[in-house]
Each structure stands twice: as structure tokens, then as C-alpha cells.
Amino acid sequence: MDVEEAVRQKYGKAALRAVACDGGCSCGSNVLTGIAQAGRASHEIYDAGDTTGIPAAAIAASLGCGNPAALAQLKEGETVLDLGSGGGIDVFVSARRVGPGGKAYGLDMTDEMLALACENQRQAGIDNVEFLKGRIESIPLPDSSVDVVISNCVLNLSTDKSQVLREAFRVLKPGGRFAVSDVVLCGEIPSLVCGNPQLWTGCLAGAMQEEEYKAGLIEAGFVEPAIEPTRIFQASDVREFLSTVGEDAIALAGELDGKVMSAAVRAAKPAAGGATSMKGHAMPKIQILGTGCARCKQLTANTEKAVQGLGIQAEIEKVTEIKEILKFQILMTPGLAINGKVKSAGRVPDPAEIREMLLEEGGN
Ligand SMILES: C[S@@+](CC[C@H](N)C(=O)[O-])C[C@H]1O[C@@H](n2cnc3c(N)ncnc32)[C@H](O)[C@@H]1O
């Protein structure tokens, strides 16, 4: 069985369990489906105010690792898409936040989850929600059609994460936001873990390293990728999860201590009019032209901030010899050159302006 089919079967069963207990017993919430439920049921992440009015079955079916609708800072009237919406909890929370003038789509590939989500919608009588059947690697929505893409503990399950990020970028409107809760790795994990299908469907083995996630977002065209831990799993949490897999797996718990986290992953699609991305461009070469004065130091600091904000790798060189500076034909220092082109001279642009200069280079 391939990994995607294993994921579909596992979450199909989880949906049936949630239907069987209908939120009225504790069996649905106590079964440990993935690492995110170690030590705490997923629905406990939400504030009581978020889940008021949401059917008990949707709450009990919650299998996420965060609260992406809160992370996204949704506004009235916005259109939101939840990738891998499961029983629908984040779609319902989003629908309430965007109000009747907005809309929340949920996308899932598992029939049993979609049936559960639609039944939950019927019971809750929420109108501004639509559940779609499909794969997150091939989103059934047009280009530039949503303001925000959210997701809760799903991207780690995909076998083609680059394609998911490209699809999220495609469906977002210019200036749109990517606000996702996901399991992310923050240290090397044993290769035995990576190859285990049960650990993949339990949201561990398929998780990306932090830097890999950011690089994937930039490669897809996003800017300002940021990843913040919301919970770092300790050996005891990992052991609880691994005990559902078997004795051999439990032995790996110590090696995973502090290396797996639930994280808030954010990025933005550049606004219209600006350069679209630095996608496909080699690492920019930035040169700070000046003899080491205080303003040169400020320019270096601003440049480093701009580079960090974009989440890109860049080579920053200080050109301090007068003879070398003169080759750039500037009359006043400090100067800033990107990929050999002079972008400013005799002044210190702020990080936001340098960011635009970098995007201009990347988008040309
Ligand atoms: C861990 S559960 C999370 C569900 C929901 N986001 C929540 O927080 O309760 C993962 C969900 O993603 C769906 N899923 C996993 N991989 C998918 C893919 N490639 N395309 C569409 N749905 C997927 C599964 O069917 C399941 O409903």
C-alpha cells in the first residue's frame, strides 16, 4: 500500500470513530491518532469561545496540532481555504471569524472525513462553508481565489510537499496569507523513524526540517517565511505516541527528545505590483560599499534584516578599498549594490526599501 492510501485509510477510520462516539463519549478524543495528541487531546488547544456552537462530533474529531484560524488573524469578509479539513473544526472556526460576508472552504481527500464534516455543517446550520473533495497537491479552486490558506497538521502527511506549497501559492490572491499549524523537525532524527509508514501517518516521519520548510515556501514564491514553535515534544510525549506503534519504536523516544515540535508556519504571497518572488534566482550577491564608517555599519545591519525578513540566503560582501569602490562609479558612500548593480549611494535605505530592491532583482 502506498503512503497516501495508508493516510486515507487511517483518517477514514478516525472519522468513523468520531461518528461512532458522536462527541458524547471520550473514545474519539482519547485514541492517540498521531504525535499531536500525545499528552493532550487536539480540541484542548482551542479557547472555549472558538468552539461554541460547533457540533460535539467536529470537536471530538479534531486531530490538529494548533489553531490556524487564530494564527491567520482572519478578518470579516475574507475567503479561507483549509487544506486537509478533516471533521471541519478549523473551517467552522474560520467561518465564524470571517462572518456571513466571507467564506470558508475545507478540502479533504478522505470520503469518511468529508461525510463527517458535511454532517457537522448540517447540524450546526452554518451557511458560509463548503467542503470540497480533492488532494491538497491539486487544489480544485481557481488561481488567486482565496485570501488565506490555513491547515492543521496535514502538510507533514503529503508525499509531495513542494507541490502542495506551489498549489497554496497559486490559489492565494496577491498579498494573501499562508498560516498553517504543522509538525516540524528541529533536529536530526534517526533514519529508522523516517522510513516507518505508521510514523508517517501519525504525523512524525513525514515532517520537514524547519529550514527545509522555509526553503520550500521561498521556492514556491512566498516571502517572509517564519516558523515559531508552539509546543516542543519531550521524550515522554514521543514515548506515548511510539507505544501505539510497537516495542521497537519505543526505544527511539530518547533520540527524538526536543527534536519534534508543533509550529506556527507563516508566509505571504507578494502583493500585486511588486516583484512576485525570488523563485528560480541564484543567491543574490550584495555588496556594501564604504570604508567602515558608522553609516556603513547601519547599512549592513539594515541589509541583514531585509535578508532575514525575506528568509533567503544571500552573500553579503563589504567592499572597503577605495580603488574597488570607485569601480562602482559612486560619488558618495555608503553604497549598496545587488548582483553588481548600484541600488543606492550616499544614504542608508531602511530594511523595507532594501527588501523591495532585493525583490526587484529576484523578480526581474
Ligand atoms: C491529521 S488530520 C487533521 C484534520 C484537521 N485538519 C484537524 O485539525 O482536525 C489529517 C487530515 O488531512 C487529510 N489529508 C491528508 N493528506 C491529504 C492529501 N494529500 N490531500 C487531501 N487531504 C489529505 C486526511 O484525510 C485527514 O482528514
Side-chain angles (χ1 to χ4, degrees):
M1 191 195 313
D2 71 6
V3 173
E4 190 171 304
E5 187 48 32
V7 169
R8 193 179 278 112
Q9 289 196 12
K10 173 161 183 155
Y11 290 97
K13 283 186 193 145
L16 295 177
R17 255 197 325 269
V19 172
C21 80
D22 193 24
C25 65
S26 59
C27 58
S29 50
N30 280 355
V31 172
L32 204 145
T33 310
I35 188 156
Q37 289 85 49
R40 170 179 80 179
S42 286
H43 65 81
E44 288 168 4
I45 297 170
Y46 298 83
D47 288 340
D50 270 332
T51 51
T52 311
I54 293 179
I59 299 170
S62 166
L63 293 172
C65 56
N67 181 351
L71 183 69
Q73 301 190 322
L74 300 175
K75 299 182 202 70
E76 292 235 348
E78 286 189 319
T79 301
V80 187
L81 167 66
D82 180 16
L83 302 179
S85 43
I89 187 162
D90 299 305
V91 180
F92 301 129
V93 173
S94 300
R96 170 150 347 110
R97 288 184 181 234
V98 299
K103 177 147 189 176
Y105 289 102
L107 172 65
D108 208 288
M109 68 176 181
T110 305
D111 287 326
E112 295 86 341
M113 276 295 183
L114 284 166
L116 171 64
C118 291
E119 176 56 20
N120 288 334
Q121 180 185 3
R122 196 191 59 74
Q123 277 182 28
I126 302 174
D127 292 333
N128 59 339
V129 157
E130 186 175 338
F131 288 100
L132 307 169
K133 177 168 178 174
R135 297 171 63 244
I136 59 176
E137 294 80 1
S138 174
I139 300 174
L141 284 175
D143 296 359
S144 305
S145 53
V146 306
D147 298 292
V148 184
V149 168
I150 62 164
S151 183
N152 201 350
C153 214
V154 180
L155 264 73
N156 67 77
L157 293 169
S158 172
T159 50
D160 192 352
K161 295 166 180 59
S162 307
Q163 175 63 13
V164 177
L165 296 177
R166 280 194 292 273
E167 277 292 272
F169 186 85
R170 179 185 67 77
V171 299
L172 275 171
K173 295 177 189 172
R177 317 191 290 290
F178 178 89
V180 162
S181 299
D182 207 357
V183 175
V184 179
L185 303 178
C186 44
E188 284 309 313
I189 62 167
S191 53
L192 268 175
V193 171
C194 307
N196 184 313
Q198 271 177 288
L199 297 181
W200 187 293
T201 60
C203 299
L204 173 59
M208 282 185 275
Q209 292 287 349
E210 208 174 340
E211 289 313 313
E212 192 188 348
Y213 217 134
K214 284 189 189 168
L217 284 162
I218 289 165
E219 181 60 28
F222 286 99
V223 292
E224 295 172 15
I227 300 187
E228 283 165 49
T230 50
R231 176 184 178 189
I232 297 182
F233 294 95
Q234 308 302 315
S236 55
D237 305 314
V238 181
R239 194 169 297 114
E240 186 189 340
F241 167 57
L242 295 180
S243 66
T244 63
V245 177
E247 281 300 316
D248 293 352
I250 297 174
L252 298 167
E255 290 185 64
L256 291 167
D257 184 26
K259 294 181 178 171
V260 185
M261 61 183 178
S262 293
V265 183
R266 289 192 187 87
K269 178 165 175 170
T276 52
S277 76
M278 299 203 67
K279 183 179 169 187
H281 286 261
M283 183 167 77
K285 179 171 181 178
I286 304 174
Q287 287 159 304
I288 311 287
L289 315 173
T291 50
C293 60
R295 278 162 33 100
C296 300
K297 286 185 184 135
Q298 186 59 55
L299 180 57
T300 307
N302 289 0
T303 304
E304 283 166 353
K305 267 195 197 151
V307 167
Q308 247 176 24
L310 284 168
I312 58 170
Q313 302 283 321
E315 182 190 340
I316 302 180
E317 184 198 3
K318 289 177 193 154
V319 181
T320 51
E321 280 192 40
I322 304 280
K323 140 171 143 267
E324 291 303 316
I325 295 172
L326 287 174
K327 287 185 186 162
F328 288 85
Q329 301 185 321
I330 61 169
L331 296 175
M332 287 171 78
T333 60
L336 178 72
I338 302 175
N339 294 339
K341 286 187 216 160
V342 174
K343 293 289 181 179
S344 71
R347 65 189 186 88
V348 181
D350 65 18
E353 188 182 347
I354 300 171
R355 175 180 176 279
E356 290 309 311
M357 293 169 178
L358 282 162
L359 283 172
E360 203 175 277
E361 272 309 301
N364 280 339

